[in-house]
Amino acid sequence: MHNFEFVKPSSIADAVKALAAEGAQPLSGGQTLLPTMKQRLAAPEVLVSLTGIAEMQGVCMGEGGLHVGAATPHAVVAREAAPSYPALAALAGGIGDPAVRNRGTIGGSVANNDPAACYPAAVLASGATVVTDRRRIAADDYFQGMFTTALEEGEFITQVIFPVPQAAAYVKFNQPASRFALTAVFVARFADGVRVAVTGASNNGVFRWEEAEAALSADFSTAAISGLSVSDADMISDLHGSAAYRANLVKVLTGRAVNAAH
Amino acid sequence: MPKDTGIGASTKRREDVRFLTGRGVYTDDLSLFGQAHAVMVRSSVAHGRIVSIDTAAAESMPGVLAVFTGEDFKDVGGNPAGWLINSRDGTPMREPKRPVLAHGKVRHVGDAYAAVIAETYAQAKDAAQVLADATVIEELPAIVDMRAAVADASNRVHDEIPDNLCFDWGWIEDNRAAVDAAMKAAPHVVTLELTNNRLVPNAMEPRASIGEYFPGTGDYKLTTTSQNPHLTRLLVCAFVMGIPENKLQVVAPDVGGGFGSKIYHYGEEALVLAAAKRLGRPVRWTAERTESFLSDAHGRDHVTKIELGCTKEGDILAIRTETLANVGAYLSNFSTATPTFLHGTLMAGPYKVPHVYVNVKTVFTNTAPVDAYRGAGRPEATYSIERVIDKMCRELGLDPFEVRRRNLLTPDQFPYTTPVGLVYDTGNYQATLDKAVELADVAGFEARRAESAKRGKLRGMGLSTWIEACGIAPSHLVGVLGSRVGLYDAATVRVNATGTISVMTGAHSHGQGHETVFPQIVAEKLGIPETSVEIVHGDTAKIPFGMGSYGSRSLAVAGSAMDRALDKIIAKGKKIAAHMLEAAEGDITFADGKFSVAGTDKAKSFGEIAFSAYVPHNYPLETLEPGLEETAFYDPANFTYPAGAYICEVEVDAETGKVDVVAFTAADDFGNVMNPLIVEGQVHGGVGQGIGQALCENTSYDENGQLLTGSYMDYAMPRADDVPFYTVDHSCATPCTHNPLGVKGCGEAGAIGSPPAVVNAVIDALHSGGHTHVTHIDMPVSPNRVWQAINA
Ligand SMILES: Cc1cc2nc3c(=O)[nH]c(=O)nc-3n(C[C@H](O)[C@H](O)[C@H](O)COP(=O)(O)OP(=O)(O)OC[C@H]3O[C@@H](n4cnc5c(N)ncnc54)[C@H](O)[C@@H]3O)c2cc1C
């Protein structure tokens, strides 16, 4: 790891200022960034910790749904979102291990947009809003391919607002080594339709399986998707799963999520 | 009534108190005054010619004290292979020099070609990067696949070895024609091609070494993560650096696991010693996890074709195998023994098979060296045999349990000489099989299968009846087999004046629990409390000699040496007692910690004898020496032959291909058991590693020789939820006939016997679901592979 400056602002306004510095980068739970720095693959000059900002912490119901502060650790979401949005809480509780869940945060995860991360599926399937220091971004506009988002230089997430569906479930199939999602599916049923988001599978990062959404919106049952097929054209193929295997998982897991949704 | 002390008691591991409270002292925990830090500079290409290394920029970096390259070691020796194997045509194996630092060529990703020593770790690390950038390596095509390595003679890992072959070994070559004839005559022949997947050992503690040099005396000290410090001393002194053996002390303090990978001497150990001498300061090096993946000796990596000739009723008539074994880029110390004498000699399994022939071609590739890893050769043999028998059962519609019973050796057949050169001394393979069948409730399996089906799961059951040769090993046998060292062990029992005891043992505990078990034996024999006994190990300056711990040899060999030394202590005690009690030595008996004059109530306690030995006020010094300390070297008459039966039950999710091991039963014969708790722990760990190999672990290099599974993000270690609650039994014991403790060794058993049980269970599950076209899936039987097999 190379040397760096460390600042820990206590307000969003101060964080904005700190992040304006040359070579500054936000640090949240550090579960991705610190290993990268240790491997000398990243060498930010200034780390701006976002974990000391009260406005960016915690889970509560509010305008537009469930508000989750960007610096809220997974373990807190797993605990505190359980009554209001159980599928989201279950997702958070299934990330990594206890150490990761007590450090890693939703903001870091959504900012990083790892193609195998869990939260992006929840954000996209819920039609959530990503709130930043300067604007509000709809989930459908936010994710732009693996490790790519709508965030601009210096922009940081302060909060994610989740509309709460009538029923939802996240079904994750673990990659055997990392236990990130080899493929995982979040199904969310709203009054006006069903949204299905898939993570871990595509070369383009998290995506919505629109055919399934249409079918499930008409009939929320596994039968509704039994005739659908998933193309493996854009699917990731690696040591842990071929493209065809992942395409299979998309369908299998969607069915299981429909069965599990409550 | 279970005992609560001594032999057979489940004494809790005393060393765990310090390990679990963070008070262990590992090599990296030591901080020495004036220490400097070494960082190795490793090749990022699998195969390349070193064109130039410009050290100037690195040398001028802040804090840099020295830079070493292969040039600095070109005149010292190479790290040798410990076993000489001859090819079928009688020619000796090819032994390329394995230098301290790569010289001329780099031969695998991670091959160290330079080292930087600096005041701090960070400075060394920075300079190592600068050095790497100032190095020109002309990349050559990588030789990764073993089949391609032998097929394409134009591309060579070592320029002087034309076909990339280390040796082409036949076992037993003289029997080849007879085996071929038996195979030809067999009514049925089953053929199976399989891969024994390459594994990274992944000891929890990475390798680390600290070199010290004392200019006043010219002494060196190496503190290192070793499973056998004496062997490291021998290799460093006699082969690599030319240091007199009495001028090097090698210490292995607490060592956090090895699984084989820390048996061997590695270049970093020579490097820190050379650097310490040059700088006159202690020099330390600790591997980063990535370095462990790239440069620890890996395990397994065989590609095998096995044929089994049998009758239609399932009597095994002949077994013939052809194996390609990967040794990687260089010969690690045991690498030539592992695929041959630890593998070929086991190819008859626990069965009466009249004809067996094994061919092993050992191949150099541009990958990390491969060597012994928990089980070493025996898992490969067991996997091949137990998988092909399972395939035979399916092809002929036979019951796998019945087929085992038909072919297993029976107790009246011991000692039994196998067609592959071993003499099994004792065993009762039917008993362990019956025990496993009972404990696994085989009778209730169909009901469980039906219950799984209700939950949409395919349930399968797999069996493996395994044997291994361990307690490595008798010097006279390993000498015939090509070993360049003897494989005995040694112990000194030092009784202090106050009756406490230090045992200096040549075994080295790096997780096995010697500190607990060895005192149990001493306590039992001398009738004193376990807590009065302390084990000293891992220091060439303190212990007489030792060949370390691997090959499930600690108790069988070093424990037996200790037992012999204890016999000498008792004999000496009798002499002292005779003197003190004014009786004839022949009249003294020793029991329950007391020396007594037979037929009288005259007695002296062990403590009184010990005290007298060090306060010999009125000793007849011509006939009785003061002191109570004895050393014994023990060289066994034979290997030991633990054996057992393993039954695995799995559930397969056919939609995703995910396999869950839902039950695992191990009935083992380890001979006499000294501490059941530790034996069970060893089986749990071994089976866990076996399940890891069967379902999770894989070491994958791409076609350019880049390690794709170089971190835990891609290398799948088994975790707690990958393994079931085990049912473990060792009640069917037939004590080893030739060592004084009657013990056989339990350290590797689980890793040897379990992989075929798991894979057989998966195949069984798939067949029950109608996927009868699946006859084999290579390990690791990952979800992706299972799904692909189903949908092929
Ligand atoms: C062992 C392990 C297992 C894991 N398993 C899973 C898993 O199963 N599923 C899963 O989804 N994830 C998993 N993760 C990832 C983890 O959950 C974290 O979500 C992830 O590492 C990022 O969150 P963080 O808070 O640690 O971010 P950091 O590491 O602090 O930051 C990550 C990146 O985001 C940037 N950043 C951080 N916060 C913000 C912000 N508010 N606005 C803009 N940019 C920001 C940083 O600059 C950095 O580039 C695992 C991680 C580990 C180490």
Side-chain angles (χ1 to χ4, degrees):
Chain A
M1 196 185 278
H2 294 282
N3 282 338
F4 54 87
E5 298 290 318
F6 180 78
V7 289
K8 193 168 182 181
S10 53
S11 70
I12 292 175
D14 285 349
V16 170
K17 275 188 221 137
L19 280 165
E22 180 74 24
Q25 188 172 347
L27 172 71
S28 197
Q31 296 302 292
T32 293
L33 186 51
L34 296 184
T36 318
M37 288 169 65
K38 282 185 186 168
Q39 289 172 340
R40 301 183 158 215
L41 297 172
E45 285 160 47
V46 185
L47 278 185
V48 180
S49 170
L50 303 178
T51 58
I53 301 170
E55 309 152 73
M56 287 177 61
Q57 290 285 352
V59 177
C60 65
M61 286 303 292
E63 170 97 40
L66 187 74
H67 293 216
V68 182
T72 312
H74 310 324
V76 173
V77 176
R79 208 166 47 237
E80 295 183 8
S84 47
Y85 194 168
L88 182 69
L91 173 148
I95 293 175
D97 50 48
V100 169
R101 290 195 289 276
N102 281 297
R103 297 294 308 176
T105 67
I106 186 170
S109 177
V110 173
N112 197 41
N113 192 20
D114 186 305
C118 299
Y119 267 127
V123 172
L124 192 58
S126 307
T129 301
V130 177
V131 182
T132 75
D133 60 314
R134 59 195 73 162
R135 59 184 170 144
R136 300 163 72 91
I137 311 171
D140 286 320
D141 302 325
Y142 177 82
F143 298 105
Q144 303 190 346
M146 35 165 98
F147 298 110
T148 314
T149 68
L151 292 177
E152 294 162 356
E153 191 64 35
E155 183 174 14
F156 64 97
I157 305 170
T158 56
Q159 195 180 50
V160 182
I161 301 174
F162 290 91
V164 178
Q166 295 166 332
Y170 177 65
V171 177
K172 174 184 180 187
F173 193 84
N174 285 343
Q175 193 258 52
S178 71
R179 301 218 168 174
F180 274 66
L182 182 65
T183 289
V185 177
F186 200 110
V187 169
R189 181 185 195 185
F190 292 92
D192 59 352
V194 174
R195 290 171 68 106
V196 177
V198 179
T199 186
S202 168
N203 282 317
N204 303 319
V206 65
F207 71 96
R208 285 172 64 185
W209 184 18
E210 282 159 12
E211 283 169 283
E213 292 183 348
L216 290 169
S217 297
D219 169 17
F220 194 69
S221 76
T222 49
I225 58 164
S226 64
L228 301 183
S229 66
V230 181
S231 161
D232 63 12
D234 282 330
M235 295 291 164
I236 297 170
S237 185
D238 62 15
L239 278 180
H240 305 288
S242 65
Y245 179 62
R246 282 186 164 84
N248 165 67
L249 282 182
V250 170
K251 183 165 163 182
V252 169
L253 302 180
T254 302
R256 291 183 183 183
V258 168
N259 282 335
H262 57 271
Chain B
M1 249 275 289
K3 295 173 71 178
D4 58 10
T5 179
I7 289 178
S10 281
T11 305
K12 286 191 181 151
R13 298 190 354 153
R14 61 165 80 162
E15 50 269 69
D16 285 350
V17 175
R18 79 171 182 280
F19 294 151
L20 295 176
T21 55
R23 293 178 180 127
V25 178
Y26 298 86
T27 299
D28 189 65
D29 292 326
L30 299 168
S31 182
L32 301 182
F33 181 74
Q35 64 187 5
H37 297 258
V39 166
M40 310 303 290
V41 189
R42 298 184 186 276
S43 177
S44 59
V45 300
H47 192 193
R49 207 165 295 287
I50 302 172
V51 178
S52 63
I53 304 176
D54 184 352
T55 59
E59 277 162 343
S60 65
M61 297 273 293
V64 172
L65 300 166
V67 171
F68 287 82
T69 67
E71 207 43 40
D72 294 290
F73 293 97
K74 73 172 195 301
D75 298 327
V76 306
N79 187 0
W83 294 60
L84 172 67
I85 306 295
N86 290 324
S87 280
R88 295 195 287 131
D89 63 8
T91 55
M93 67 186 193
R94 278 80 163 263
E95 291 184 79
K97 182 177 175 184
R98 186 181 184 191
V100 175
L101 291 173
H103 190 240
K105 256 174 123 180
V106 286
R107 294 188 175 84
H108 65 93
V109 171
D111 198 3
Y113 60 85
V116 176
I117 324 291
E119 293 287 351
T120 70
Y121 174 72
Q123 288 169 332
K125 189 99 178 140
D126 284 340
Q129 186 58 54
V130 169
L131 189 74
D133 294 343
T135 299
V136 180
I137 293 180
E138 175 205 340
E139 196 170 348
L140 301 169
I143 302 157
V144 181
D145 180 73
M146 282 191 278
R147 282 168 268 227
V150 234
D152 175 12
S154 65
N155 196 8
R156 300 174 181 184
V157 177
H158 295 276
D159 296 350
E160 70 278 19
I161 300 176
D163 46 13
N164 295 310
L165 260 191
C166 180
F167 55 77
D168 174 359
W169 180 76
W171 192 249
I172 292 172
E173 195 57 24
D174 290 347
N175 298 344
R176 184 179 191 150
V179 174
D180 288 350
M183 195 64 80
K184 211 163 187 177
H188 186 81
V189 175
V190 191
T191 305
L192 181 60
E193 289 186 32
L194 45 81
T195 295
N196 206 289
N197 42 327
R198 184 185 184 112
L199 305 174
V200 177
N202 281 304
M204 206 181 284
E205 179 206 21
R207 288 191 293 118
S209 303
I210 303 176
E212 291 172 81
Y213 178 71
F214 306 94
T217 55
D219 288 343
Y220 292 83
K221 180 175 178 184
L222 174 67
T223 307
T224 191
T225 49
S226 175
Q227 298 177 220
N228 55 351
H230 275 96
L231 183 76
T232 299
R233 187 181 69 171
L234 178 75
L235 294 171
V236 170
C237 291
F239 291 88
V240 181
M241 311 252 312
I243 302 170
E245 243 180 306
N246 55 350
K247 286 290 183 190
L248 173 64
Q249 178 191 4
V250 178
V251 180
D254 284 332
V255 173
F259 310 112
S261 69
K262 293 172 183 167
I263 301 173
Y264 328 114
H265 163 54
Y266 291 86
E268 291 88 355
E269 293 169 328
L271 184 273
V272 293
L273 288 170
K277 183 172 188 192
R278 189 191 289 180
L279 297 176
R281 294 170 61 169
V283 175
R284 62 185 301 135
W285 167 81
T286 300
E288 295 185 353
R289 184 56 68 181
T290 308
E291 293 183 276
S292 305
F293 274 102
L294 292 175
S295 71
D296 287 2
H298 294 177
R300 318 271 194 263
D301 209 355
H302 286 193
V303 175
T304 293
K305 177 181 170 196
I306 181 166
E307 293 160 289
L308 178 147
C310 59
T311 65
K312 302 274 183 207
E313 295 73 39
D315 297 304
I316 306 172
L317 303 173
I319 290 176
R320 183 170 62 198
T321 68
E322 276 170 42
T323 290
L324 288 181
N326 202 339
V327 271
Y330 303 98
L331 296 182
S332 177
N333 302 140
F334 282 28
S335 61
T336 53
T338 304
T340 54
F341 292 113
L342 296 174
H343 166 246
T345 53
L346 258 296
M347 208 45 94
Y351 308 110
K352 28 180 191 281
V353 190
H355 296 285
V356 181
Y357 175 78
V358 177
N359 174 238
V360 178
K361 293 190 178 71
T362 294
V363 186
F364 291 105
T365 58
N366 292 121
T367 63
V370 179
D371 208 325
Y373 166 75
R374 200 173 193 169
R378 292 148 290 164
E380 295 89 319
T382 305
Y383 184 67
S384 298
I385 299 168
E386 294 303 299
R387 279 292 300 128
V388 81
I389 291 180
D390 196 69
K391 189 160 184 248
M392 166 179 87
C393 295
R394 284 191 195 285
E395 287 182 6
L396 297 175
L398 301 172
D399 174 56
F401 293 90
E402 278 320 305
V403 163
R404 277 3 182 257
R405 288 201 177 94
R406 263 187 113 87
N407 289 285
L408 286 173
L409 292 164
T410 48
D412 55 302
Q413 289 174 301
F414 297 106
Y416 174 80
T417 304
T418 74
V420 270
L422 296 178
V423 181
Y424 298 163
D425 60 341
T426 180
N428 187 346
Y429 310 144
Q430 282 76 13
T432 43
L433 178 55
D434 290 345
K435 190 55 144 184
V437 165
E438 173 203 324
L439 292 173
D441 183 23
V442 170
F445 175 70
E446 287 306 329
R448 294 193 293 280
R449 175 174 268 174
E451 190 277 327
S452 298
K454 279 194 201 136
R455 287 181 286 107
K457 296 283 174 65
L458 302 176
R459 197 176 187 108
M461 179 163 59
L463 169 65
S464 139
T465 43
W466 64 273
I467 185 167
E468 65 139 328
C470 67
I472 293 174
S475 296
H476 71 93
L477 271 183
V478 297
V480 173
L481 300 177
S483 174
R484 287 163 165 163
V485 293
L487 283 170
Y488 45 84
D489 225 291
T492 295
V493 174
R494 177 176 299 157
V495 182
N496 300 310
T498 52
T500 59
I501 290 180
S502 302
V503 178
M504 276 57 79
T505 171
H508 181 274
S509 186
H510 36 281
Q512 292 85 344
H514 299 171
E515 289 172 48
T516 303
V517 179
F518 283 35
Q520 287 180 254
I521 298 167
V522 179
E524 176 89 24
K525 265 200 104 134
L526 299 184
I528 57 169
E530 287 170 21
T531 48
S532 299
V533 186
E534 203 66 34
I535 297 303
V536 178
H537 63 115
D539 187 340
T540 60
K542 290 183 182 163
I543 57 177
F545 198 75
M547 296 306 295
S549 288
Y550 46 84
S552 306
R553 69 191 302 279
S554 301
L555 201 51
V557 189
S560 294
M562 179 180 76
D563 190 79
R564 289 278 169 86
L566 289 169
D567 287 340
K568 293 186 186 179
I569 291 284
I570 293 170
K572 174 79 182 284
K574 283 184 179 171
K575 269 191 179 180
I576 297 172
H579 161 68
M580 290 175 75
L581 297 167
E582 298 178 332
E585 195 186 322
D587 290 339
I588 305 291
T589 58
F590 180 69
D592 302 326
K594 271 213 276 293
F595 292 89
S596 321
V597 183
T600 73
D601 60 0
K602 291 208 292 182
K604 289 282 175 193
S605 71
F606 184 80
E608 288 173 297
I609 296 293
F611 188 74
S612 141
Y614 291 93
V615 191
H617 284 160
N618 60 353
Y619 268 30
L621 295 172
E622 317 73 53
T623 52
L624 188 60
E625 260 182 63
L628 193 51
E629 169 167 328
E630 298 289 349
T631 294
F633 279 63
Y634 174 80
D635 200 329
N638 193 351
F639 292 96
T640 62
Y641 300 98
Y646 288 180
I647 297 175
C648 176
E649 278 183 42
V650 299
E651 279 186 347
V652 177
D653 177 343
E655 285 185 327
T656 64
K658 174 105 171 42
V659 175
D660 284 319
V661 178
V662 291
F664 199 101
T665 304
D668 292 304
D669 174 1
F670 296 131
N672 292 335
V673 166
M674 302 290 112
N675 180 323
L677 185 69
I678 288 183
V679 166
E680 281 173 31
Q682 288 288 316
V683 175
H684 286 196
V687 174
Q689 267 171 301
I691 292 174
Q693 168 162 31
L695 296 183
C696 313
E697 296 184 50
N698 194 30
T699 308
S700 185
Y701 285 94
D702 72 8
E703 68 278 11
N704 299 318
Q706 294 294 333
L707 183 60
L708 298 176
T709 50
S711 82
Y712 295 121
M713 294 301 279
D714 287 302
Y715 189 92
M717 291 293 283
R719 306 199 197 181
D721 64 353
D722 288 314
V723 300
F725 286 95
Y726 304 109
T727 304
V728 173
D729 177 89
H730 41 74
S731 63
C732 306
T734 60
C736 171
T737 57
H738 56 79
N739 66 42
L741 298 169
V743 296
K744 294 184 175 178
C746 65
E748 297 161 293
I752 292 169
S754 59
V758 177
V759 178
N760 290 347
V762 173
I763 302 296
D764 185 52
L766 296 185
H767 279 242
S768 80
H771 308 292
T772 49
H773 65 284
V774 184
T775 54
H776 179 68
I777 304 176
D778 270 328
M779 301 187 290
V781 181
S782 64
N784 181 47
R785 285 188 182 174
V786 173
W787 182 81
Q788 277 179 335
I790 291 174
N791 294 287

